[in-house]
Amino acid sequence: MKKYLAGLSAVALLCCSIASSAFARTEEKLTNIAHRGASAYAPENTMAAFHQALEMNADYIELDVQQSKDGVLVIMHDRTVDRTTNGSGHVRELTYSELQRLDAGSWKDNSFTNEKIPTLSQVLDEFQGKIGILIELKAPELYPGIEKKVAFEINKRKLDHVIIQSFNVSSMKKMHELLPNVPIGILTSSERDTNPNSIQQFADFATYFNPSYDILTPALIHQVHSAGMKISPWSGTKRLPASFLWKTKSDGVITNYPDEVNWVQTSSTIGQQLEKGSARRVITLAVTMWP
């Protein structure tokens, strides 16, 4: 009995802590964007990772688009296949047939052996209408005309829940001209892009300014919002503190751990109920969650 009461007290304290800190924000939620799919749990940029993100109730899957030697739009982050497949060489120097022969899964875990490098068409056909899709053009300067090809794939399917982003500003200006109704995002890891003049220039054609978490500050979030854009930071493979992003009013988060973002937002409901005085109900809920 004493052990049970001690556990109950701990839960109550946890709930009070939640209510008074990370979850004072109640009017909206973080957009949960699965970075290269749920890449903490499945091999990045594969159908397995995208399906895992869907199962984890992410709002969007994020993926990287490059082009094979024979012009097929394929999903791959690195410029070479060396890190995430059993092959070697630059993506743009390998044909689609050569890319399809590679194992893109076993580097993560043997259970993903023979997972393939998907094409953009395959991903769009599989996930349109099921989850939002955030397309990053990876090094578009290496692939002249890739913007038109991506625009064609989107227009062909009349996609709506889609965003396009890149580090390449010129490429994103082209995408905005080709798809004026599709939200555009600017990626950066440089503080040089965070000055007021640059932010305002991006706002002329972009909807999102998505910086590395390393340069994120509350002041930058305010600055981006003042320019009329939204902000969704990313961190590569590191976990992002979703509670901080919630408190500082980021619009979204690009994360390898979409399940953790959902935990934060589920817990926010507990905080909101406590603020409304429903402590007994919340503690009862928390006890049912106690292992």
Side-chain angles (χ1 to χ4, degrees), residues 13 44 211 271:
L13 288 172
E44 64 181 58

Side-chain angles (χ1 to χ4, degrees), residues 174-195:
K174 290 180 186 176
M175 289 303 320
H176 178 62
E177 293 171 1
L178 291 166
L179 299 170
N181 295 320
V182 171
I184 298 297
I186 296 297
L187 287 165
T188 186
S189 57
S190 173
E191 292 184 345
R192 291 177 296 180
D193 292 326
T194 64
N195 66 77

Side-chain angles (χ1 to χ4, degrees), residues 136-150:
E136 178 180 346
L137 300 195
K138 182 61 63 176
E141 62 275 9
L142 298 178
Y143 308 105
I146 193 172
E147 294 87 1
K148 288 185 178 179
K149 288 188 173 183
V150 171

Side-chain angles (χ1 to χ4, degrees), residues 82-246:
D82 299 42
R83 179 176 64 86
T84 58
T85 78
N86 61 342
S88 63
H90 287 81
V91 175
R92 63 192 179 108
E93 294 174 355
L94 296 169
T95 66
Y96 174 63
S97 178
E98 290 171 327
L99 291 169
Q100 281 298 287
R101 289 198 290 267
L102 300 179
D103 174 357
S106 60
W107 67 274
K108 184 75 171 179
D109 188 89
N110 287 336
S111 62
F112 297 109
T113 297
N114 290 325
E115 191 74 26
K116 300 302 180 185
I117 298 171
T119 66
L120 179 61
S121 292
Q122 289 169 345
V123 175
L124 297 183
D125 287 341
E126 177 70 17
F127 293 99
Q128 63 177 330
K130 299 177 182 176
I131 192 170
I133 302 173
L134 173 54
I135 300 171
E136 178 180 346
L137 300 195
K138 182 61 63 176
E141 62 275 9
L142 298 178
Y143 308 105
I146 193 172
E147 294 87 1
K148 288 185 178 179
K149 288 188 173 183
V150 171
F152 174 79
E153 296 294 337
I154 291 172
N155 281 329
K156 181 170 69 172
R157 295 169 177 81
K158 298 181 181 179
L159 297 179
D160 47 12
H161 288 87
V162 62
I163 303 168
I164 303 174
Q165 67 177 6
S166 180
F167 287 91
N168 188 311
V169 176
S170 296
S171 178
M172 291 303 93
K173 288 181 178 178
K174 290 180 186 176
M175 289 303 320
H176 178 62
E177 293 171 1
L178 291 166
L179 299 170
N181 295 320
V182 171
I184 298 297
I186 296 297
L187 287 165
T188 186
S189 57
S190 173
E191 292 184 345
R192 291 177 296 180
D193 292 326
T194 64
N195 66 77
N197 288 337
S198 294
I199 294 291
Q200 194 55 57
Q201 289 175 12
F202 297 145
D204 289 341
F205 63 93
T207 304
Y208 292 88
F209 180 81
N210 296 338
S212 164
Y213 180 73
D214 295 336
I215 63 172
L216 184 73
T217 64
L220 177 59
I221 295 171
H222 176 74
Q223 185 179 339
V224 170
H225 285 163
S226 295
M229 291 187 291
K230 296 180 180 181
I231 186 166
S232 298
W234 51 274
S235 70
T237 59
K238 294 185 295 186
R239 280 179 163 89
L240 282 176
S243 58
F244 170 78
L245 299 177
W246 182 275

